[in-house]
Amino acid sequence: MTAGHAVETFLEMLVAERGIAANTLQAYRRDLEDFTDFLTRRKRSADAASTGDIRDYMAGLSRAGMAASTSARRLSALRQFHKFLHAEGFREDNPCTVVDAPRRSRPLPKILSEAEVEKLLDAASALPGPEGARMLALLELLYASGLRVSELVGLPLAAVTRDTGMLIVRGKGGKERMVPLTEAAIRAVAAYREDRDAFLKEGQKSPFLFPSRGESGHLTRHRFAQLLKELAISAGIDHEKVSPHVLRHAFATHLLDHGADLRSVQQMLGHADISTTQIYTHVVEERLRRLVEQHHPLARTGRKG
């Protein structure tokens, strides 16, 4: 069977038996035609492709700079294709069974520089009235503690205690952790408390530090994210870069930049597994690498013998 005929037979099966969408069908066609072109250059047919052919094809995709996620999709198409050929008796084995999928690298988290965080804090400090006091308290708390946004907006009124300087957080799975706060965060929360009633209906009582008149009873994640993007615009920062989670990343990365140990950062972030926290060490390493490449004279000119 020629490679082209094998692909068409497989695609017909996908339409007849699985009813796949036209766009999906075209994606399969493109992926498999690229593979069959590869086989043709090797003078191979689809029913004679070996495991070595598959591995060489995948290695070629990697050398060409194809993203691991796209390569993994290609391999998935090849697996289904060869599974079909084997099931239909067109070949005696499936050469894809022992080929490992490309490892997908975990994307590095987006962060803000310390200077950008300072700009956000300055912009929040300049906001007038109760809205300004609340925004500064939210921002100082988030950057001082690295809270998840759901933890931040849902903080109980008693979570911040001035006498201890610690924040009590109930995180995932109901687990409690204590996070030390900066003096700036403690002061911002104390100032905000004086204006907190502005966010309550007359006579309303609320157990939340950041109450709201809405159904949830407290400031929502969505509303805080909106306010943060508005603040970024006023601070002259690209609002697409800014989100509550990006500030959580900034908290962790800046701590490591200044010598904090990984285990302490893990505890403050509330990560169950330290491997989750280790992604921030990669951010620091990547920043150092770029710093050397951009500013070290030998990195740019090369060393002369």
Side-chain angles (χ1 to χ4, degrees), residues 33-52:
E33 285 180 349
D34 186 68
F35 175 65
T36 55
D37 286 344
F38 169 83
L39 290 180
T40 300
R41 291 193 296 273
R42 289 194 164 198
K43 299 184 175 8
R44 294 269 196 175
S45 61
D47 57 353
S50 67
T51 296

Side-chain angles (χ1 to χ4, degrees), residues 261-287:
D261 67 275
L262 197 62
R263 185 69 66 180
S264 297
V265 175
Q266 175 198 0
Q267 291 172 350
M268 286 186 279
L269 290 172
H271 287 160
D273 192 328
I274 199 167
S275 65
T276 309
T277 320
Q278 284 173 331
I279 188 68
Y280 296 108
T281 65
H282 300 317
V283 175
V284 174
E285 289 165 3
E286 177 65 15
R287 288 172 64 190

